[in-house]
Amino acid sequence: MKEASPAKAYALHLGVIALLFALSFVLLEYHHGLLARIMVLAVFAMGYNMLFGYVGLLSLGHAMFFSAGLYGAGLAVIHLGWSVPAAFAAGLACGALLALVIGLLALRTSGVAFMIVTMMFAQVFYLIILYFAAWTGGDQGLVVPQSGRVLVLGDTSLGLTNPTVRYMSALVLFSIVLLVTLGTVRSRYGRVLVAIRENDERTKMLGYDIFSNKLVAVVVSGTICAASGAAYALLFGYVGSTFASVQYSILPLLWVLLGGAATTLGPLIGTLFMYYVVDITSGYTSAYLLIVGIALILLVLFFPRGILGTIRQRWLGWLP
């Protein structure tokens, strides 16, 4: 597989960012809001892809990292009255710390055992949210007040409830994470992660510390997912236990598989595809899940490596 030059790879990604920026001026209000949500959740999928796509670790616990950022930011605003930047930083810190602890414990296993252990930790986190319902809102969740969702930049105040501000904030987060991800996977460290995925024993023989490299990947992955969760709480004003359920650990896996694992733009394409298939079909029939299922089966048959993964394999081998 031919690798694209750095200039070509970054030009492609900057072009995607420019396209998303241009769409903010032409989209209808409904699609404007939906695309903002998709960009935030695509960051969640990118975090998952870092561990699953590039390290080969299948996790069913990433909802707890997303929820750590979600509750870390949301509760900081609701109960402590923190500003938007401080709340976002709190969400990142919660996700990074949780990922570090989970990584130290879960990486003692591998394969199916790793998947089960991460799912068990996620379920524990979910039950903790329900147990401390007085603080977290339990099943019903909590609404982040509009007064706390104001970004102050000098003498300027930007309300995150404003559709344009919300879209641009989501775009900034998406752009930063996309470019950081691209830089990471193209770096020496990214190549080590791929080597671990392909053959960790041989990589170990070459002198690399497998455990440390995997642990860093878990922390980076968890922090990216926490950034998505923190942004979701601040931009859309809601925190709820549903986001910590196992279902929300399966969704990023589905988005990554649809778009193409170990591709930098695959998570965006998978999230975008899944959201719009569900949105369009649900507008015509109550049996939309049947149509979604058929669409997914066809996609797996004709694009076995995901949309972007198959395109890279068959036609554009330079795609990162």
Side-chain angles (χ1 to χ4, degrees):
M1 183 176 66
K2 184 179 178 181
E3 186 178 80
S5 65
K8 193 174 184 179
Y10 279 99
L12 171 64
H13 290 69
L14 290 173
V16 171
I17 293 170
L19 175 61
L20 292 172
F21 177 77
L23 286 175
S24 68
F25 299 101
V26 298
L27 288 176
L28 298 176
E29 182 179 356
Y30 173 76
H31 297 285
H32 193 272
L34 186 59
L35 189 54
R37 194 180 302 268
I38 287 172
M39 284 190 288
V40 172
L41 292 177
V43 172
F44 182 22
M46 282 192 280
Y48 189 90
N49 188 41
M50 178 66 69
L51 195 64
F52 174 68
Y54 293 100
V55 189
L57 291 174
L58 175 58
S59 165
L60 288 182
H62 266 55
M64 63 180 160
F65 301 137
F66 180 87
S67 298
L70 184 83
Y71 278 95
L75 298 185
V77 172
I78 296 169
H79 295 305
L80 302 177
W82 287 11
S83 65
V84 167
F88 185 78
L92 285 182
C94 290
L97 181 60
L98 181 62
L100 176 61
V101 173
I102 298 300
L104 287 171
L105 297 173
L107 286 175
R108 298 174 184 272
T109 64
S110 61
V112 176
F114 179 84
M115 177 186 70
I116 295 174
V117 168
T118 53
M119 182 177 66
M120 290 171 60
F121 278 123
Q123 190 64 18
V124 169
F125 189 82
Y126 173 71
L127 294 175
I128 289 174
I129 292 174
L130 297 181
Y131 183 79
F132 291 99
W135 286 86
T136 63
D139 283 329
Q140 296 181 352
L142 296 170
V143 175
V144 182
Q146 292 188 13
S147 59
R149 295 162 58 201
V150 178
L151 179 61
V152 179
L153 300 174
D155 297 329
T156 305
S157 297
L158 301 174
L160 298 182
T161 56
N162 181 286
T164 301
V165 175
R166 182 169 53 200
Y167 185 96
M168 290 303 172
S169 299
L171 178 59
V172 168
L173 175 65
F174 172 80
S175 302
I176 292 173
V177 173
L178 179 65
L179 295 177
V180 168
T181 300
L182 177 62
T184 300
V185 301
R186 291 180 63 87
S187 68
R188 179 181 177 183
Y189 173 68
R191 298 178 191 279
V192 172
L193 294 183
V194 174
I196 292 173
R197 181 192 68 195
E198 296 300 322
N199 194 320
D200 58 350
E201 289 299 325
R202 182 174 295 178
T203 307
K204 185 177 181 179
M205 290 174 59
L206 292 174
Y208 292 101
D209 188 333
I210 304 300
F211 183 85
S212 296
N213 281 287
K214 283 184 176 181
L215 180 60
V216 172
V218 171
V219 173
V220 171
S221 175
T223 304
I224 292 174
C225 293
S228 175
Y232 196 96
L234 296 171
L235 295 179
F236 302 104
Y238 176 74
V239 297
S241 61
T242 304
F243 295 107
S245 63
V246 175
Q247 174 190 356
Y248 257 81
S249 289
I250 297 175
L251 284 177
L253 170 61
L254 179 61
W255 297 333
V256 168
L257 289 175
L258 285 175
T263 61
T264 50
L265 290 171
L268 171 64
I269 294 175
T271 308
L272 187 69
F273 176 85
M274 190 64 185
Y275 251 78
Y276 269 101
V277 167
V278 172
D279 183 68
I280 293 172
T281 55
S282 62
Y284 290 97
T285 175
S286 59
Y288 66 93
L289 288 178
L290 176 62
I291 300 176
V292 170
I294 294 173
L296 294 180
I297 292 173
L298 293 175
L299 193 65
V300 170
L301 289 175
F302 294 101
F303 293 87
R305 292 180 177 266
I307 297 172
L308 200 61
T310 302
I311 291 174
R312 179 174 65 181
Q313 179 190 34
R314 295 178 180 175
W315 301 294
L316 301 176
W318 58 268
L319 286 174

